[in-house]
Amino acid sequence: MRQEIDGGYLWSPVREASGARSSFYDNMRRAAPGDLVLSYAAGKVGRLGIVSDYAISAPKPEEFGTIGIYWSATGWLLPVQWLDADLAVRPKELIGRLAPLLPTKHSPIQPQSGNGNQKAYLAEVDRKVVDLILAAARLPAVDRLAKPTSPAADFATTLDDVVERNIQRDTSLDETVREQLVRARRGQGLFRKRVLDCEPICRITGLETPNLLIASHIKPWRACGTPAERLDGANGLMLAPHADFLFDRGLLGFESDGRPMFSSQLTDADADKLGLHVVQRPPPTPLHNDSQGYLNHHRINVFIP
């Protein structure tokens, strides 16, 4: 809780340690900008936050240290702007009114005792739960709360910076390899050459002029587990700049057969202004077999349905 409040985010693994799906972790991908989050720890709801962007695929934050040592190294990071007010509301003291409002499945709080459920992380609750907590904290109703005006922090860039610093310090890697890994972050060097060999044309626009294309990682550079993944040409697509941005943000994806998928969060109006509905796309062709694992990671961890 302390790390997430200070850092302005939520972070969870993608799955439980056993490999099972968790509705609490899946909610990280369902959360959308403007959603409200109540932070519960040590028996009390302490803070209220507002989701400022969609979750991104990200390594476990370094500041966690040994916390969750059994978790996978890569998970989902959800940017949250926490409001300054300290709520200090204890659900146990409200359980009579709170219990009827809690979900019957996947509740964050036990309706009989008011204790937190051990496996709960990010649970979906009724708006009335939020109103009750705010009233108990003597804070204004949700619709009268001041919304943050500062833009969402660029967590992807921040996390990439951390990974890059770790690469620069890794003396087990040859200096040339370290240089190529850093250049790969920006779609340059050996990685770009290898992607061009595999995917010389933008699958969205048909653009094939190399200096107008960006070598984009399919599995994000920060989420790659090895130097080989970061430099693998099969882990890349050559995309026009606007397609690269959409792909990186999860607003664009690809089926195994090469057909593009557009996120429900990309409005038709915005897609029209980007020319996505009128562009003469090249016929879809299946991606290379070596790219399918990376593509599956993107569809599960990056693409926003």
Side-chain angles (χ1 to χ4, degrees):
M1 178 272 293
R2 289 190 298 272
Q3 290 88 341
E4 293 182 334
I5 296 295
D6 290 343
Y9 61 79
L10 296 177
W11 186 91
S12 82
V14 173
R15 294 177 181 264
E16 295 182 359
S18 64
R21 294 280 301 262
S22 164
S23 64
F24 299 117
Y25 297 160
D26 289 346
N27 281 338
M28 294 283 284
R29 294 282 285 151
R30 296 178 59 207
D35 287 349
L36 299 173
V37 180
L38 295 169
S39 174
Y40 172 87
K44 67 178 182 179
V45 176
R47 299 292 283 271
L48 173 71
I50 301 175
V51 176
S52 56
D53 210 337
Y54 293 100
I56 60 173
S57 180
K60 186 174 75 170
E62 286 191 330
E63 56 265 32
F64 277 24
T66 58
I67 299 171
I69 197 168
Y70 53 86
W71 290 334
S72 58
T74 300
W76 288 321
L77 184 146
L78 183 68
V80 176
Q81 295 190 22
W82 299 102
L83 304 186
D84 290 336
D86 185 4
L87 278 60
V89 174
R90 296 190 176 277
K92 277 191 174 186
E93 298 173 359
L94 305 171
I95 198 59
R97 289 181 290 161
L98 184 60
L101 305 176
L102 294 171
T104 55
K105 292 180 64 177
H106 311 305
S107 175
I109 301 291
Q110 298 172 21
Q112 298 82 14
S113 65
N115 293 326
N117 279 321
Q118 186 62 35
K119 280 193 171 184
Y121 183 62
L122 183 60
E124 182 179 5
V125 297
D126 192 275
R127 166 72 174 269
K128 294 177 182 177
V129 172
V130 180
D131 291 338
L132 177 59
I133 297 296
L134 292 181
R138 294 182 173 82
L139 289 177
V142 169
D143 54 7
R144 287 164 48 208
L145 286 173
K147 299 296 187 291
T149 55
S150 58
D154 190 348
F155 280 97
T157 299
T158 301
L159 292 166
D160 283 349
D161 288 344
V162 171
V163 173
E164 181 173 329
R165 285 197 298 271
N166 290 339
I167 289 173
Q168 297 280 25
R169 297 168 184 162
D170 189 350
T171 56
S172 69
L173 297 173
D174 180 86
E175 183 177 349
T176 301
V177 173
R178 291 201 298 269
E179 179 185 352
Q180 288 296 344
L181 290 172
V182 171
R183 295 188 71 190
R185 170 187 174 182
R186 298 165 178 83
Q188 299 173 353
L190 181 60
F191 172 70
R192 179 181 176 85
K193 179 182 181 302
R194 289 175 172 176
V195 177
L196 274 168
D197 289 341
C198 299
E199 289 274 332
I201 300 172
C202 173
R203 287 176 172 266
I204 295 299
T205 64
L207 194 63
E208 51 187 313
T209 306
N211 62 356
L212 296 179
L213 297 174
I214 295 174
S216 181
H217 281 83
I218 301 174
K219 181 178 182 179
W221 182 87
R222 62 185 171 276
C224 291
T226 65
E229 283 189 336
R230 292 193 171 101
L231 295 176
D232 189 355
N235 185 22
L237 296 171
M238 297 304 296
L239 296 172
H242 68 303
D244 167 72
F245 178 84
L246 296 174
F247 188 67
D248 185 61
R249 294 299 302 270
L251 299 173
L252 165 67
F254 291 94
E255 301 279 9
S256 297
D257 60 6
R259 286 178 297 148
M261 307 183 300
F262 296 101
S263 168
S264 61
Q265 301 303 322
L266 179 65
T267 66
D268 286 341
D270 287 341
D272 282 339
K273 290 174 182 176
L274 289 167
L276 297 176
H277 290 161
V278 296
V279 66
Q280 187 66 39
R281 259 189 284 281
T285 56
L287 276 83
H288 193 281
N289 285 340
D290 292 343
S291 297
Q292 294 300 334
Y294 297 120
L295 200 62
N296 188 54
H297 176 96
H298 187 277
R299 281 195 295 265
I300 294 173
N301 299 293
V302 181
F303 181 71
I304 302 167

